[in-house]
Amino acid sequence: MPAPRSRVSSRHPPGGDELERAFEFIRLADMFGTREARSRMGTAVLTPELPLRLDSNYLLVDPVPRDVEAPAVAAEADHVLGGAGLRQRCVMLRDAGAGERLAPGFVSLGWDVFRGLVMALRRPPERMVDTSLVERTDAATLRPARAQQLRGYPWATPEVIRQLLDARALAPVPTQHFAIFDAGRPVAWAELYVQGSVAQVEAVATAATHRRRGHASALIVRAASTATARGAGLVFLCADAADWPRHL
């Protein structure tokens, strides 16, 4: 049986060289680990300091052999991640085609399948976006609001929340924080990772009481403009293929 919170994910490309650059940046800035181990199917990315953070403890299968099926990949994840003392299982596939081929097999094993989109900024916004409410802030200021937002997920135990909020302190790429405040309290927020010519906008969220006011768009536009002002030629964000940010 797969361990709790088993997940397989694949990334869909913005195109060619941009995808390669974005994926390498994701590995560095967001899906980072503090150590890696070779596997017969790829690379195990591990972070013993954050054992409950899926995006820092996973098996990266790349490339995916054509004759390999989901049970073999799941067994290797059991071997590598279980051998590292982890209860959860997460498998990352760069190749979206291979991910789609293996997805039914993972579903039959009881895994969750996540289809990720890598969305690159190519042009100005289609409409004017008011970013005047967006302010620069820091992780400590946002921590209570982010914790409250995470508590809405069924898997978010207090220890999971702590590890998710502590993760950026271990990331090798500095994080910039943006927020919109109401009566001195953050009601929407986002993170920006920039290194060299690449930037990622991440962790965009709005408190339930302040949604449908354009806050997410304002945060993304402000973060993206900050990245381009710093010289980033490739600015992107990741989205769930089944969620609303794919329409941005």
Side-chain angles (χ1 to χ4, degrees):
M1 290 290 293
R5 297 197 63 214
S6 301
R7 185 180 77 177
V8 59
S9 62
S10 60
R11 301 285 175 176
H12 293 244
D17 178 62
E18 284 186 330
L19 176 63
E20 293 300 317
R21 294 169 62 203
F23 190 87
E24 292 307 318
F25 192 85
I26 291 166
R27 288 264 287 113
L28 174 68
D30 189 23
M31 298 189 72
F32 61 86
T34 55
R35 69 182 183 91
E36 296 185 355
R38 292 300 303 167
S39 159
R40 65 186 182 87
M41 289 191 182
T43 304
V45 177
L46 304 169
T47 308
E49 304 92 330
L50 304 169
L52 299 180
R53 185 178 192 260
L54 286 177
D55 286 350
S56 288
N57 296 277
Y58 58 94
L59 175 63
L60 171 62
V61 182
D62 181 44
V64 181
R66 295 182 63 85
D67 60 343
V68 166
E69 300 297 335
V73 180
E76 181 65 6
D78 277 338
H79 172 69
V80 175
L81 301 179
L86 299 170
R87 293 183 65 245
Q88 75 273 13
R89 305 287 182 261
C90 181
V91 172
M92 174 72 169
L93 307 176
R94 294 184 64 158
D95 184 340
E100 293 299 340
R101 178 176 69 82
L102 296 177
F106 277 107
V107 171
S108 70
L109 293 171
W111 289 51
D112 295 324
V113 174
F114 171 87
R115 294 170 174 86
L117 302 176
V118 180
M119 302 170 58
L121 176 67
R122 300 189 187 278
R123 53 181 168 73
E126 293 178 347
R127 58 184 174 81
M128 293 297 295
V129 176
D130 181 8
T131 63
S132 62
L133 294 178
V134 180
E135 301 180 31
R136 288 285 299 274
T137 186
D138 55 53
T141 300
L142 294 178
R143 190 174 182 108
R146 293 187 64 203
Q148 179 62 35
Q149 184 254 346
L150 288 170
R151 290 188 192 104
Y153 293 99
W155 43 260
T157 66
E159 181 59 17
V160 168
I161 292 172
R162 184 193 68 78
Q163 291 189 27
L164 293 178
L165 297 181
D166 286 351
R168 296 313 306 171
L170 295 177
V173 176
T175 304
Q176 297 181 45
H177 300 272
F178 299 87
I180 294 174
F181 293 84
D182 182 14
R185 300 177 61 183
V187 295
W189 51 89
E191 295 175 351
L192 173 65
Y193 320 141
V194 185
Q195 184 160 288
S197 62
V198 184
Q200 178 180 359
V201 181
E202 183 60 27
V204 182
T206 304
T209 55
H210 286 72
R211 290 173 184 163
R212 300 187 181 278
R213 303 185 189 185
H215 289 346
S217 294
L219 287 161
I220 291 169
V221 170
R222 171 66 184 277
S225 63
T226 299
T228 55
R230 289 192 52 182
L234 172 60
V235 181
F236 70 93
L237 60 81
C238 295
D240 185 334
D243 204 359
W244 67 266
R246 72 187 187 281
H247 298 301
L248 289 169

